[in-house]
Amino acid sequence: MTRRPNAITMATMLAAAMATTMAASMAGAAPVDLSPVKEVHGRSTLPEGWQHGAFIEIFVRGFQDSDGDGIGDLRGVTQRLDYLKALGIQGIWLMPITASADRDHGYATTDYRAIEPQYGTLADFDELIREAHRRGIGVVMDYVINHSAREHPLFRSAVADPASPWRDWFVWTSQPLGELKDWDIWGKTPWYLPGEEVPDLPEGASAPPKPESTAQAPAGSPRYFAVFGPHMPDFNMRNPAVVKYHADSLRFWLNRGLDGYRLDAVPHLIENSAKDWNDQPESRALTGEFTRLIKRYPQRFVVCEATAEPKVYTRDDICGSAFAFGLERAVIDAAKGGDGSVEAVAKVARFFTEAPLSMATMLSNHDIFAGKRAWDQFEGDEARYKLAAATYLLLPGTPFIYYGEEIGQAGVAGLPGDAPLRAPMSWTSEPGGFSTGTAFRPASPNIATHNAQAQAADPVSLLNFYKAMLALRNSQPAIARGRYEAPLAQGQVLSFQRVHKDQRVLVLINYGRDAAEVSLPGLPSKARLRPLYPQRPSSAVAAVDARGRLTLTAAPLSVQVFRLR
């Protein structure tokens, strides 16, 4: 594999960038903006602590079409900001919006400083940022550091000419395939011949089924490294010029007012060998460098995708936040209430005693490996769906709601890859709520009943339940940013306390079908409880006794939230 020095002076990097830009022009490569970008911090207009609120993850292609071409766009997101504000959202995560080769998920990037043409323009992006900030909503976006698209102009130049100045921006080997047999990533080799035929990406797939690269080639034929398959070649992140290019590109968007990033696939930035390829120390260190760059801007937020060791990536010196993969499975299993639910409740109670409170939480996301849409996982059982939602929205962490989750949108069966999870948002009972044209993908099968318009009119809908939970989070600092104390699992009943300064909130969730009497020790003696949800007195609630113990009855399939006074 390519090896490069780990450090280089800024002056040298600037000179190298200028030289390579000129070389690209001479080599006939398509224009790529490699210009250096200075930090321009400015002042954040968002409220302090905005990042402790709930985020919504938006697949722009599937959220709202503003121009009738059947494809969601940035103007469509701007048009729906009032909906997000009413929901209680304080942050938006945009899945990739930069120009891409796949014209779907967006992770095959072709230009890191341009908007995907189907999504709009830089002016549309600027308007979205302004309007979101006017409503107190922050915006972060996906940034794909690890790899580009096979169609990226620099990779094409690198393939066309071994002497290209971009050759060392990617990872190459001249070893024959037989000598690379120890390289096995998810059951396949990551080394590909540039001229090898590459199958089209399945609809909605973030990466193709990775073929075994068995093409015969003359000895010494170069192969490139691509951990996520041949469509997306890995950058050589040991090359300081590559690191600088990404740093400049991060600043490009931050200078326009972007409020942070979701950094994609960061454990894969650097591979050391066929044995040591995942989550290497160099990848953690490099991720930390990018995070520090981003957080030099006021009130910026970073969350990382790091499936191997997410708790480690949550450290302040690496990301500060990472998705709590695995917790979503325990929350859903607890809420389902079936075999294994008692064990799952205990796992949920224990999780944040062992994990940083700044982790990012979810029920599902855009990747099928994280599970089907919540509606499909609960098979339409709204009572248990609500229990799961309450659990992760009231626990510590920064919750990320996947668009459509709040209305119970179902996945679209029969589509390949991740496409079932990425259907157009169900705004009304007809597909026309998403687009006046023909949508890029079929509508959700439960659009007639589970759409935003119908859900808003139903006081006991999923949408109104989500609004109630987010209203609690937004009005109670203890829930948004408080400590996690006294977690207790008693059979199918979970209780915990959230504490911030002098505010203490008690959460009680019964996942069982029967009422359960629970005893809660360790409460402030003689404290009284004020119901926060549901907002009505309960005859089952009594004052804490002199020993700091409270006994109460948890109704079946219920969520109860109290303020201790």
Side-chain angles (χ1 to χ4, degrees):
M1 292 178 63
T2 304
R3 294 290 187 267
R4 302 299 296 169
N6 288 324
I8 190 168
T9 66
M10 182 60 71
T12 302
M13 286 193 289
L14 286 170
M18 293 175 64
T20 49
T21 303
M22 294 175 61
S25 177
M26 294 171 62
V32 174
D33 180 5
L34 297 172
S35 59
V37 179
K38 295 181 179 180
E39 290 185 12
V40 181
H41 290 177
R43 181 180 65 88
S44 173
T45 61
L46 293 175
E48 189 275 330
W50 70 272
Q51 65 271 31
H52 297 293
F55 280 67
I56 188 164
E57 178 191 356
I58 291 178
F59 177 43
V60 173
R61 185 172 298 270
F63 196 62
Q64 178 66 64
D65 172 23
S66 72
D67 58 10
D69 66 355
I71 295 171
D73 47 47
L74 293 177
R75 288 187 180 182
V77 177
T78 302
Q79 290 173 3
R80 294 296 186 176
L81 286 174
D82 286 338
Y83 167 84
L84 299 179
K85 178 71 174 177
L87 176 57
I89 293 299
Q90 293 191 12
I92 296 171
W93 157 24
L94 300 173
M95 286 175 61
I97 59 171
T98 47
S100 70
D102 56 81
R103 295 296 179 93
D104 190 276
H105 54 79
Y107 288 95
T109 310
T110 55
D111 191 336
Y112 283 83
R113 302 184 194 178
I115 296 292
E116 166 58 45
Q118 292 180 327
Y119 290 173
T121 65
L122 283 173
D124 295 333
F125 172 84
D126 294 339
E127 178 70 7
L128 171 58
I129 296 294
R130 281 194 299 270
E131 289 300 313
H133 287 179
R134 192 166 66 84
R135 293 164 175 81
I137 298 174
V139 181
V140 306
M141 76 180 200
D142 245 312
Y143 191 89
V144 187
I145 304 177
N146 178 72
H147 52 267
S148 75
R150 183 180 169 114
E151 293 83 359
H152 194 290
L154 303 189
F155 183 72
R156 285 185 164 178
S157 176
V159 168
D161 181 6
S164 165
W166 312 115
R167 187 75 168 189
D168 198 34
W169 278 49
F170 301 91
V171 182
W172 301 87
T173 185
S174 295
Q175 291 179 275
L177 192 61
E179 295 180 14
L180 299 170
K181 64 182 185 311
D182 291 337
W183 282 92
D184 185 327
I185 297 181
W186 303 308
K188 303 295 180 183
T189 182
W191 296 100
Y192 298 92
L193 292 168
E196 200 168 344
E197 184 176 350
V198 176
D200 291 336
L201 279 173
E203 180 188 12
S206 297
K210 296 199 308 170
E212 187 71 45
S213 183
T214 56
Q216 298 299 313
S221 296
R223 294 176 182 269
Y224 66 93
F225 185 83
V227 71
F228 290 105
H231 291 85
M232 296 182 283
D234 279 34
F235 281 110
N236 174 16
M237 298 303 295
R238 297 183 190 273
N239 184 339
V242 175
V243 174
K244 180 187 179 300
Y245 170 66
H246 281 303
D248 284 325
S249 297
L250 291 168
R251 284 188 285 264
F252 175 86
W253 298 104
L254 292 168
N255 290 351
R256 301 188 84 94
L258 186 72
D259 300 297
Y261 290 96
R262 181 256 195 190
L263 299 180
D264 180 66
V266 288
H268 304 297
L269 299 183
I270 292 178
E271 293 79 18
N272 285 315
S273 68
K275 176 177 177 291
D276 300 313
W277 60 269
N278 192 15
D279 191 21
Q280 296 302 291
E282 296 91 336
S283 292
R284 296 181 181 184
L286 192 53
T287 302
E289 290 183 26
F290 288 128
T291 297
R292 286 186 289 277
L293 179 159
I294 296 163
K295 290 190 174 181
R296 285 199 294 270
Y297 288 74
Q299 291 214 85
R300 269 25 180 217
F301 176 71
V302 178
V303 62
C304 286
E305 181 197 35
T307 55
E309 294 286 349
K311 293 177 184 178
V312 173
Y313 276 79
T314 305
R315 285 174 11 197
D316 287 340
D317 64 327
I318 303 181
C319 279
S321 185
F323 286 96
F325 290 108
L327 175 60
E328 79 286 352
R329 185 71 265 149
V331 169
I332 289 172
D333 287 346
K336 283 184 174 180
D339 294 342
S341 66
V342 171
E343 181 182 351
V345 173
K347 183 176 180 179
V348 172
R350 186 173 62 248
F351 187 86
F352 280 107
T353 66
E354 303 168 344
L357 303 190
S358 59
M359 296 198 81
T361 58
M362 62 181 183
L363 286 185
S364 65
N365 65 13
H366 61 285
D367 284 322
I368 198 67
F369 78 78
K372 296 179 180 180
R373 277 192 172 269
W375 176 265
D376 301 311
Q377 295 196 58
F378 286 104
E379 298 179 334
D381 188 332
E382 293 195 18
R384 295 196 177 279
Y385 196 138
K386 290 176 180 178
L387 296 179
T391 303
Y392 93 104
L393 294 175
L394 300 177
L395 276 170
T398 299
F400 281 76
I401 298 166
Y402 188 45
Y403 81 101
E405 174 193 318
E406 76 279 9
I407 59 172
Q409 181 168 323
V412 180
L415 298 179
D418 301 311
L421 311 176
R422 304 176 187 174
M425 174 74 175
S426 299
W427 292 109
T428 64
S429 60
E430 298 293 335
F434 165 74
S435 176
T436 57
T438 301
F440 72 101
R441 189 163 288 156
S444 172
N446 66 350
I447 189 173
T449 56
H450 287 74
N451 60 76
Q453 185 179 67
Q455 293 267 300
D458 179 359
V460 297
S461 68
L462 281 167
L463 177 60
N464 282 310
F465 182 80
Y466 268 77
K467 287 182 178 180
M469 293 300 102
L470 293 183
L472 281 175
R473 187 177 186 92
N474 293 338
S475 64
Q476 304 296 319
I479 297 176
R481 61 174 77 184
R483 302 189 302 277
Y484 182 62
E485 295 188 356
L488 190 61
Q490 299 181 63
Q492 289 185 306
V493 180
L494 169 69
S495 64
F496 55 87
Q497 297 172 43
R498 304 296 310 280
V499 183
H500 180 71
K501 297 181 179 178
D502 61 350
Q503 185 186 78
R504 185 177 294 267
V505 172
L506 169 66
V507 177
L508 182 69
I509 303 175
N510 182 4
Y511 303 104
R513 290 198 173 277
D514 300 316
E517 187 173 273
V518 293
S519 179
L520 304 175
L523 297 169
S525 63
K526 299 184 179 180
R528 299 192 66 83
L529 305 184
R530 177 171 67 89
L532 296 175
Y533 183 88
Q535 291 184 328
R536 60 179 183 272
S538 171
S539 59
V541 176
V544 180
D545 66 23
R547 296 175 300 168
R549 182 175 293 274
L550 172 68
T551 300
L552 54 80
T553 300
L557 302 178
S558 68
V559 177
Q560 293 173 273
V561 185
F562 306 94
R563 174 84 178 268
L564 277 74
R565 305 175 66 179

